[in-house]
Amino acid sequence: MKTYDWIVVGGGIAGAALAYELVKTGFAVLLLEQYSTPQNATRYSYGGLAYWSGTTTLTRQLCEEAIARYHILSQELDADIEFRELDLLLTISAASDLEATAGSYNNCAIPPRLLSVQEACELEPLLNREAISGALTVKHGHIHPEKTAQAYIQAFLRAGGEMQITEVLQVLQDGVKTTTATFHSAKVVICAGGLSRQLLKSAGILVKLYFTHAEIIETPPVDVQLRTLVMPANVQRFQLEAESTQIDELWDEAGNEPVPPILDAGAIQFQDGSFRLGQISRVLTDPYANVNSEESEMWLRKSVGQVLPALGNLPGTWHHCLVAYSSDRLPLIGTIPGFESVHLFSGFSNPLVIVPPLAKRFANFAAGKEDEIITQLSLYR
Protein backbone atom coordinates (compact mmCIF):
# COMPACT_ATOMS: atom_id res chain seq x y z
CA MET A 1 0.00 0.00 0.00
CA LYS A 2 1.19 3.51 -0.83
CA THR A 3 2.76 5.54 1.98
CA TYR A 4 2.31 9.30 1.81
CA ASP A 5 4.54 12.01 3.24
CA TRP A 6 1.50 13.73 4.75
CA ILE A 7 -2.11 12.86 5.40
CA VAL A 8 -4.26 15.97 5.93
CA VAL A 9 -7.50 15.31 7.84
CA GLY A 10 -10.29 17.81 7.06
CA GLY A 11 -11.36 19.53 3.85
CA GLY A 12 -12.41 22.95 5.15
CA ILE A 13 -10.36 26.06 4.40
CA ALA A 14 -7.57 24.97 6.79
CA GLY A 15 -7.11 21.47 5.41
CA ALA A 16 -7.64 22.50 1.79
CA ALA A 17 -5.10 25.33 1.92
CA LEU A 18 -2.56 23.25 3.84
CA ALA A 19 -2.87 20.23 1.53
CA TYR A 20 -2.33 22.52 -1.48
CA GLU A 21 0.73 24.21 0.02
CA LEU A 22 2.25 20.87 1.08
CA VAL A 23 1.87 19.29 -2.36
CA LYS A 24 3.19 22.47 -3.99
CA THR A 25 6.28 22.18 -1.77
CA GLY A 26 6.94 18.70 -3.16
CA PHE A 27 5.33 16.33 -0.64
CA ALA A 28 3.13 13.34 -1.50
CA VAL A 29 -0.16 14.30 0.16
CA LEU A 30 -3.51 12.59 0.81
CA LEU A 31 -6.43 14.81 1.82
CA LEU A 32 -9.27 13.11 3.73
CA GLU A 33 -12.70 14.69 4.12
CA GLN A 34 -15.72 13.09 5.75
CA TYR A 35 -18.48 14.64 3.62
CA SER A 36 -18.87 14.90 -0.15
CA THR A 37 -21.12 17.92 0.52
CA PRO A 38 -19.26 20.10 3.08
CA GLN A 39 -20.83 20.47 6.54
CA ASN A 40 -17.92 22.33 8.16
CA ALA A 41 -17.45 25.84 9.55
CA THR A 42 -16.07 27.05 6.20
CA ARG A 43 -19.35 26.12 4.52
CA TYR A 44 -21.42 28.31 6.87
CA SER A 45 -18.95 31.15 7.33
CA TYR A 46 -19.72 34.82 6.69
CA GLY A 47 -16.62 34.97 4.47
CA GLY A 48 -15.25 38.12 6.09
CA LEU A 49 -11.54 39.01 5.93
CA ALA A 50 -10.66 41.30 8.83
CA TYR A 51 -7.30 42.54 7.49
CA TRP A 52 -7.57 45.64 9.62
CA SER A 53 -7.92 43.84 12.96
CA GLY A 54 -4.34 42.87 13.82
CA THR A 55 -3.44 44.11 17.31
CA THR A 56 0.01 42.55 17.83
CA THR A 57 3.19 42.33 15.78
CA LEU A 58 2.33 38.71 14.98
CA THR A 59 -1.29 39.22 13.92
CA ARG A 60 -0.51 42.40 11.98
CA GLN A 61 2.17 40.62 9.99
CA LEU A 62 -0.18 37.75 9.17
CA CYS A 63 -2.89 40.19 8.10
CA GLU A 64 -0.44 41.96 5.77
CA GLU A 65 0.65 38.64 4.27
CA ALA A 66 -3.01 37.68 3.84
CA ILE A 67 -3.81 40.85 1.90
CA ALA A 68 -0.97 40.13 -0.51
CA ARG A 69 -1.98 36.46 -0.76
CA TYR A 70 -5.64 37.14 -1.54
CA HIS A 71 -4.87 39.65 -4.26
CA ILE A 72 -3.23 36.89 -6.33
CA LEU A 73 -5.13 33.84 -5.05
CA SER A 74 -7.88 33.68 -7.70
CA GLN A 75 -5.24 33.79 -10.42
CA GLU A 76 -3.01 31.23 -8.70
CA LEU A 77 -5.84 28.77 -8.04
CA ASP A 78 -7.46 29.50 -11.43
CA ALA A 79 -10.89 30.02 -9.86
CA ASP A 80 -13.24 32.85 -8.93
CA ILE A 81 -13.32 33.02 -5.13
CA GLU A 82 -15.47 36.21 -5.26
CA PHE A 83 -12.80 38.27 -3.54
CA ARG A 84 -13.89 41.88 -2.96
CA GLU A 85 -13.71 44.76 -0.52
CA LEU A 86 -16.81 46.16 1.16
CA ASP A 87 -17.75 48.37 4.09
CA LEU A 88 -17.95 46.64 7.46
CA LEU A 89 -20.49 48.22 9.77
CA LEU A 90 -20.01 47.47 13.47
CA THR A 91 -23.25 48.47 15.18
CA ILE A 92 -23.20 49.93 18.68
CA SER A 93 -26.39 49.19 20.60
CA ALA A 94 -28.48 52.02 22.00
CA ALA A 95 -27.51 51.00 25.54
CA SER A 96 -23.74 50.97 24.91
CA ASP A 97 -21.17 53.70 25.48
CA LEU A 98 -20.11 55.08 22.08
CA GLU A 99 -16.66 56.36 23.01
CA ALA A 100 -15.73 53.33 25.13
CA THR A 101 -16.77 50.96 22.36
CA ALA A 102 -14.79 52.90 19.76
CA GLY A 103 -11.81 53.01 22.12
CA SER A 104 -11.71 49.21 22.33
CA TYR A 105 -10.61 49.17 18.67
CA ASN A 106 -7.78 51.70 19.02
CA ASN A 107 -5.06 49.03 18.95
CA CYS A 108 -6.15 47.64 15.59
CA ALA A 109 -3.82 48.07 12.61
CA ILE A 110 -6.56 50.18 11.01
CA PRO A 111 -8.92 51.49 13.73
CA PRO A 112 -12.53 51.71 12.49
CA ARG A 113 -14.08 55.17 12.14
CA LEU A 114 -16.91 56.21 14.45
CA LEU A 115 -20.21 57.11 12.76
CA SER A 116 -23.29 58.88 14.08
CA VAL A 117 -26.68 57.17 13.76
CA GLN A 118 -27.41 59.33 10.73
CA GLU A 119 -24.10 58.48 9.04
CA ALA A 120 -24.54 54.78 9.79
CA CYS A 121 -28.03 54.76 8.25
CA GLU A 122 -26.76 56.58 5.17
CA LEU A 123 -24.11 53.88 4.74
CA GLU A 124 -26.63 51.10 5.41
CA PRO A 125 -30.26 52.12 4.79
CA LEU A 126 -31.62 48.81 6.15
CA LEU A 127 -30.48 49.67 9.70
CA ASN A 128 -33.02 50.33 12.44
CA ARG A 129 -31.92 53.74 13.75
CA GLU A 130 -33.81 53.16 17.02
CA ALA A 131 -31.65 50.11 17.84
CA ILE A 132 -28.25 51.82 17.70
CA SER A 133 -26.39 54.74 19.26
CA GLY A 134 -23.90 54.81 16.40
CA ALA A 135 -21.57 52.48 14.52
CA LEU A 136 -17.97 51.93 13.49
CA THR A 137 -16.87 51.37 9.90
CA VAL A 138 -13.75 50.12 8.14
CA LYS A 139 -12.97 48.55 4.76
CA HIS A 140 -13.24 44.77 5.02
CA GLY A 141 -12.26 41.94 2.70
CA HIS A 142 -14.76 39.30 1.64
CA ILE A 143 -14.69 35.96 -0.21
CA HIS A 144 -17.04 33.10 -0.89
CA PRO A 145 -15.58 30.68 1.70
CA GLU A 146 -16.84 27.41 0.22
CA LYS A 147 -15.74 28.35 -3.31
CA THR A 148 -12.33 29.28 -1.91
CA ALA A 149 -11.91 25.93 -0.15
CA GLN A 150 -13.01 24.09 -3.31
CA ALA A 151 -10.60 26.17 -5.40
CA TYR A 152 -7.75 25.11 -3.12
CA ILE A 153 -8.83 21.46 -3.40
CA GLN A 154 -9.03 21.53 -7.20
CA ALA A 155 -5.59 23.19 -7.43
CA PHE A 156 -4.26 20.57 -4.99
CA LEU A 157 -5.59 17.73 -7.19
CA ARG A 158 -4.17 19.32 -10.35
CA ALA A 159 -0.76 19.53 -8.62
CA GLY A 160 -0.77 15.77 -7.99
CA GLY A 161 -2.45 15.51 -4.60
CA GLU A 162 -4.94 12.74 -3.83
CA MET A 163 -8.25 13.00 -2.00
CA GLN A 164 -10.66 10.50 -0.46
CA ILE A 165 -14.15 11.06 0.96
CA THR A 166 -14.10 8.93 4.10
CA GLU A 167 -14.50 9.33 7.84
CA VAL A 168 -11.35 9.10 9.95
CA LEU A 169 -11.98 6.82 12.93
CA GLN A 170 -8.55 6.80 14.54
CA VAL A 171 -5.24 8.60 14.28
CA LEU A 172 -2.25 6.23 14.23
CA GLN A 173 1.48 6.84 14.61
CA ASP A 174 1.94 5.91 10.94
CA GLY A 175 -1.29 7.11 9.38
CA VAL A 176 -5.03 6.93 9.99
CA LYS A 177 -7.77 4.32 10.12
CA THR A 178 -10.96 5.28 8.26
CA THR A 179 -14.33 3.69 7.54
CA THR A 180 -13.01 2.44 4.19
CA ALA A 181 -9.30 1.66 4.72
CA THR A 182 -6.15 2.30 6.71
CA PHE A 183 -3.91 4.87 5.05
CA HIS A 184 -0.19 5.11 5.86
CA SER A 185 1.98 8.21 6.03
CA ALA A 186 5.14 9.57 7.60
CA LYS A 187 3.13 12.39 9.17
CA VAL A 188 -0.50 13.27 9.86
CA VAL A 189 -1.89 16.77 10.35
CA ILE A 190 -5.33 17.26 11.89
CA CYS A 191 -7.37 20.13 10.39
CA ALA A 192 -10.77 18.79 11.41
CA GLY A 193 -12.00 21.96 13.16
CA GLY A 194 -14.43 21.27 15.98
CA LEU A 195 -14.00 17.50 15.66
CA SER A 196 -10.20 17.68 16.11
CA ARG A 197 -10.28 17.38 19.91
CA GLN A 198 -12.41 14.23 19.91
CA LEU A 199 -10.47 12.66 17.06
CA LEU A 200 -7.16 13.14 18.86
CA LYS A 201 -8.63 12.00 22.18
CA SER A 202 -9.51 8.65 20.57
CA ALA A 203 -5.76 8.16 20.04
CA GLY A 204 -4.98 9.10 23.66
CA ILE A 205 -3.88 12.60 22.66
CA LEU A 206 -5.18 15.46 24.80
CA VAL A 207 -4.95 19.00 23.41
CA LYS A 208 -6.27 22.34 24.63
CA LEU A 209 -8.54 22.80 21.66
CA TYR A 210 -12.23 23.60 22.06
CA PHE A 211 -15.33 24.19 19.96
CA THR A 212 -18.64 26.02 19.86
CA HIS A 213 -21.82 24.97 18.14
CA ALA A 214 -22.33 27.90 15.76
CA GLU A 215 -25.80 28.53 14.34
CA ILE A 216 -26.91 30.68 11.41
CA ILE A 217 -29.82 31.15 9.01
CA GLU A 218 -29.08 30.93 5.29
CA THR A 219 -31.50 32.39 2.76
CA PRO A 220 -31.90 31.79 -0.96
CA PRO A 221 -31.16 34.74 -3.28
CA VAL A 222 -33.61 37.55 -2.53
CA ASP A 223 -34.32 41.05 -3.88
CA VAL A 224 -33.47 42.87 -0.64
CA GLN A 225 -30.12 44.69 -0.96
CA LEU A 226 -27.66 44.95 1.96
CA ARG A 227 -24.82 47.34 1.12
CA THR A 228 -22.46 46.41 3.98
CA LEU A 229 -21.38 43.53 6.18
CA VAL A 230 -23.10 44.14 9.53
CA MET A 231 -21.76 42.88 12.85
CA PRO A 232 -22.06 44.09 16.46
CA ALA A 233 -19.14 46.21 17.70
CA ASN A 234 -19.25 44.48 21.07
CA VAL A 235 -18.66 40.91 19.91
CA GLN A 236 -19.51 38.47 22.70
CA ARG A 237 -17.97 35.40 21.08
CA PHE A 238 -14.39 36.10 22.15
CA GLN A 239 -15.38 36.53 25.79
CA LEU A 240 -17.40 33.31 25.61
CA GLU A 241 -14.37 31.47 24.21
CA ALA A 242 -12.09 32.78 26.96
CA GLU A 243 -14.53 31.93 29.77
CA SER A 244 -15.33 28.46 28.44
CA THR A 245 -11.68 27.33 28.57
CA GLN A 246 -11.07 28.16 32.24
CA ILE A 247 -11.79 24.63 33.50
CA ASP A 248 -10.32 22.14 31.05
CA GLU A 249 -11.73 19.12 32.92
CA LEU A 250 -15.26 20.10 31.88
CA TRP A 251 -14.31 19.21 28.32
CA ASP A 252 -13.47 15.61 29.22
CA GLU A 253 -17.17 14.74 29.58
CA ALA A 254 -19.66 15.02 26.72
CA GLY A 255 -22.66 16.43 28.62
CA ASN A 256 -21.33 19.75 29.93
CA GLU A 257 -22.19 23.34 29.04
CA PRO A 258 -19.39 25.44 30.59
CA VAL A 259 -21.01 28.83 29.80
CA PRO A 260 -24.42 30.04 28.53
CA PRO A 261 -24.89 30.64 24.78
CA ILE A 262 -24.52 34.08 23.19
CA LEU A 263 -25.83 35.70 20.02
CA ASP A 264 -23.88 38.21 17.94
CA ALA A 265 -26.50 39.63 15.53
CA GLY A 266 -25.06 40.20 12.07
CA ALA A 267 -25.70 39.73 8.35
CA ILE A 268 -23.84 39.36 5.07
CA GLN A 269 -25.20 39.16 1.53
CA PHE A 270 -23.26 37.15 -1.02
CA GLN A 271 -22.89 38.11 -4.66
CA ASP A 272 -25.74 35.81 -5.73
CA GLY A 273 -28.15 37.70 -3.43
CA SER A 274 -28.31 35.06 -0.68
CA PHE A 275 -27.85 35.98 2.99
CA ARG A 276 -26.25 34.44 6.04
CA LEU A 277 -27.73 35.73 9.27
CA GLY A 278 -26.26 34.93 12.65
CA GLN A 279 -24.76 33.87 14.81
CA ILE A 280 -25.42 31.94 17.97
CA SER A 281 -22.36 30.44 19.69
CA ARG A 282 -23.26 27.59 22.03
CA VAL A 283 -20.67 25.79 24.19
CA LEU A 284 -21.71 22.14 24.47
CA THR A 285 -18.85 19.70 25.09
CA ASP A 286 -20.55 16.97 23.06
CA PRO A 287 -19.82 17.62 19.36
CA TYR A 288 -22.95 15.65 18.48
CA ALA A 289 -25.27 17.35 20.99
CA ASN A 290 -28.83 18.04 19.88
CA VAL A 291 -29.78 21.71 19.57
CA ASN A 292 -33.37 22.98 19.47
CA SER A 293 -33.38 24.42 15.96
CA GLU A 294 -36.83 26.03 16.27
CA GLU A 295 -35.89 28.00 19.41
CA SER A 296 -32.55 28.96 17.89
CA GLU A 297 -34.14 30.18 14.68
CA MET A 298 -36.65 32.32 16.60
CA TRP A 299 -33.84 33.85 18.67
CA LEU A 300 -31.77 34.57 15.56
CA ARG A 301 -34.65 36.11 13.63
CA LYS A 302 -35.72 38.31 16.53
CA SER A 303 -32.19 39.57 17.23
CA VAL A 304 -31.24 40.21 13.59
CA GLY A 305 -34.67 41.79 13.00
CA GLN A 306 -34.10 44.33 15.77
CA VAL A 307 -31.03 45.69 13.97
CA LEU A 308 -32.07 45.01 10.37
CA PRO A 309 -35.90 44.76 10.30
CA ALA A 310 -36.10 43.86 6.60
CA LEU A 311 -34.07 40.70 7.16
CA GLY A 312 -35.72 39.16 10.22
CA ASN A 313 -38.45 37.29 8.34
CA LEU A 314 -36.71 36.40 5.09
CA PRO A 315 -37.26 32.80 3.95
CA GLY A 316 -34.31 30.75 5.06
CA THR A 317 -32.94 27.60 6.65
CA TRP A 318 -31.28 27.19 10.05
CA HIS A 319 -27.85 25.58 9.94
CA HIS A 320 -25.39 24.43 12.57
CA CYS A 321 -21.68 23.59 12.55
CA LEU A 322 -18.72 23.32 14.93
CA VAL A 323 -16.14 26.10 15.24
CA ALA A 324 -12.77 25.32 16.83
CA TYR A 325 -10.82 27.74 19.02
CA SER A 326 -7.95 27.86 21.51
CA SER A 327 -7.71 29.47 24.93
CA ASP A 328 -5.74 32.52 23.71
CA ARG A 329 -7.28 33.33 20.28
CA LEU A 330 -4.17 32.05 18.49
CA PRO A 331 -4.20 28.80 16.51
CA LEU A 332 -2.46 25.60 17.59
CA ILE A 333 0.05 24.66 14.90
CA GLY A 334 2.75 22.00 14.85
CA THR A 335 3.84 18.74 16.40
CA ILE A 336 1.80 17.29 19.25
CA PRO A 337 4.03 16.70 22.30
CA GLY A 338 4.78 12.99 22.69
CA PHE A 339 3.43 12.14 19.22
CA GLU A 340 6.11 13.38 16.85
CA SER A 341 4.40 12.15 13.67
CA VAL A 342 1.06 13.80 14.51
CA HIS A 343 0.52 17.53 13.94
CA LEU A 344 -2.29 20.01 14.52
CA PHE A 345 -3.38 22.93 12.34
CA SER A 346 -6.54 24.23 14.01
CA GLY A 347 -8.11 26.66 16.49
CA PHE A 348 -8.20 29.77 14.27
CA SER A 349 -10.24 32.67 15.66
CA ASN A 350 -9.82 34.60 12.41
CA PRO A 351 -9.41 31.68 10.00
CA LEU A 352 -10.17 33.02 6.55
CA VAL A 353 -7.59 35.77 6.97
CA ILE A 354 -4.68 33.93 8.52
CA VAL A 355 -5.04 30.37 7.18
CA PRO A 356 -3.56 31.10 3.70
CA PRO A 357 -0.32 32.69 4.94
CA LEU A 358 0.05 30.15 7.76
CA ALA A 359 -0.53 27.20 5.42
CA LYS A 360 2.27 28.47 3.20
CA ARG A 361 4.54 28.96 6.20
CA PHE A 362 3.73 25.52 7.62
CA ALA A 363 4.57 23.81 4.31
CA ASN A 364 7.94 25.58 4.15
CA PHE A 365 8.53 24.73 7.81
CA ALA A 366 7.73 21.07 7.07
CA ALA A 367 10.33 21.18 4.28
CA GLY A 368 13.00 22.25 6.79
CA LYS A 369 12.84 26.03 6.65
CA GLU A 370 12.91 27.76 10.04
CA ASP A 371 9.90 29.95 10.82
CA GLU A 372 9.56 32.11 13.92
CA ILE A 373 5.79 32.49 13.53
CA ILE A 374 5.10 28.75 13.26
CA THR A 375 7.31 28.26 16.32
CA GLN A 376 5.35 30.92 18.26
CA LEU A 377 2.10 29.09 17.52
CA SER A 378 3.34 25.65 18.59
CA LEU A 379 1.55 23.49 21.15
CA TYR A 380 4.61 23.88 23.40
CA ARG A 381 3.89 27.59 23.96
Side-chain angles (χ1 to χ4, degrees):
M1 183 175 284
K2 182 174 180 177
T3 298
Y4 299 88
D5 296 320
W6 285 91
I7 290 176
V8 178
V9 180
I13 189 71
L18 186 55
Y20 167 75
E21 296 292 355
L22 285 168
V23 82
K24 201 173 70 165
T25 307
F27 293 108
V29 184
L30 174 65
L31 174 62
L32 300 177
E33 164 55 38
Q34 183 174 350
Y35 299 105
S36 55
T37 301
Q39 304 293 320
N40 48 41
T42 302
R43 163 65 182 84
Y44 298 115
S45 165
Y46 267 34
L49 304 171
Y51 298 142
W52 53 273
S53 66
T55 57
T56 65
T57 302
L58 171 64
T59 55
R60 288 183 184 195
Q61 182 175 344
L62 289 173
C63 285
E64 287 175 9
E65 290 178 16
I67 294 171
R69 196 87 188 91
Y70 271 111
H71 274 110
I72 62 168
L73 198 56
S74 282
Q75 183 178 356
E76 181 178 326
L77 301 181
D78 193 23
D80 181 11
I81 62 173
E82 298 185 8
F83 173 63
R84 57 177 171 155
E85 267 202 343
L86 74 171
D87 293 310
L88 172 66
L89 201 63
L90 298 165
T91 57
I92 303 172
S93 69
S96 297
D97 185 311
L98 268 180
E99 298 300 330
T101 302
S104 68
Y105 286 87
N106 283 345
N107 289 333
C108 293
I110 305 172
R113 182 168 57 90
L114 182 60
L115 301 177
S116 67
V117 173
Q118 180 65 29
E119 290 170 324
C121 291
E122 287 172 2
L123 190 62
E124 183 48 73
L126 295 185
L127 276 178
N128 173 15
R129 62 173 54 245
E130 304 300 323
I132 62 171
S133 59
L136 297 163
T137 189
V138 66
K139 289 294 181 182
H140 196 72
H142 189 259
I143 55 168
H144 192 293
E146 187 182 359
K147 288 183 179 180
T148 304
Q150 290 303 313
Y152 265 121
I153 289 171
Q154 293 307 312
F156 161 75
L157 295 173
R158 288 196 300 271
E162 297 178 37
M163 184 177 183
Q164 296 272 349
I165 302 298
T166 184
E167 181 183 358
V168 174
L169 301 175
Q170 190 175 0
V171 179
L172 310 171
Q173 284 283 11
D174 64 342
V176 297
K177 180 181 179 183
T178 76
T179 49
T180 55
T182 297
F183 297 98
H184 299 280
S185 63
K187 295 178 179 178
V188 176
V189 57
I190 306 300
C191 311
L195 291 174
S196 298
R197 183 186 178 101
Q198 183 183 20
L199 189 56
L200 289 167
K201 187 179 178 181
S202 70
I205 301 171
L206 300 178
V207 293
K208 292 185 181 296
L209 184 69
Y210 313 92
F211 55 87
T212 55
H213 294 251
E215 305 167 48
I216 65 152
I217 293 170
E218 186 173 53
T219 81
V222 294
D223 291 333
V224 180
Q225 294 289 313
L226 186 73
R227 294 183 184 176
T228 61
L229 192 164
V230 178
M231 289 288 293
N234 294 308
V235 177
Q236 301 176 72
R237 179 169 65 90
F238 298 129
Q239 185 177 349
L240 171 129
E241 290 177 357
E243 291 177 357
S244 67
T245 60
Q246 296 300 305
I247 305 174
D248 201 59
E249 292 74 21
L250 290 174
W251 289 85
D252 294 331
E253 296 177 1
N256 289 323
E257 186 173 9
V259 294
I262 59 93
L263 194 159
D264 289 318
I268 178 63
Q269 187 170 31
F270 284 80
Q271 290 188 9
D272 68 352
S274 65
F275 278 90
R276 287 182 192 162
L277 313 174
Q279 91 177 24
I280 296 170
S281 296
R282 198 181 297 275
V283 182
L284 303 170
T285 59
D286 179 358
Y288 302 105
N290 288 320
V291 176
N292 188 320
S293 60
E294 290 184 5
E295 287 186 6
S296 290
E297 184 170 339
M298 285 176 60
W299 189 17
L300 278 165
R301 288 186 178 281
K302 181 180 178 182
S303 299
V304 171
Q306 287 172 346
V307 182
L308 297 158
L311 307 186
N313 292 315
L314 289 176
T317 306
W318 173 89
H319 291 285
H320 156 267
C321 64
L322 300 180
V323 174
Y325 59 96
S326 71
S327 60
D328 62 3
R329 292 181 62 180
L330 292 174
L332 299 173
I333 295 178
T335 307
I336 293 172
F339 298 83
E340 299 309 306
S341 64
V342 183
H343 296 65
L344 189 59
F345 189 76
S346 190
F348 300 89
S349 279
N350 196 1
L352 296 180
V353 176
I354 64 175
V355 160
L358 284 174
K360 193 174 183 69
R361 285 176 170 274
F362 184 100
N364 289 331
F365 186 74
K369 184 178 179 181
E370 290 188 15
D371 192 300
E372 286 185 5
I373 286 182
I374 295 297
T375 303
Q376 284 182 62
L377 300 175
S378 82
L379 280 72
Y380 294 90
R381 70 177 186 258

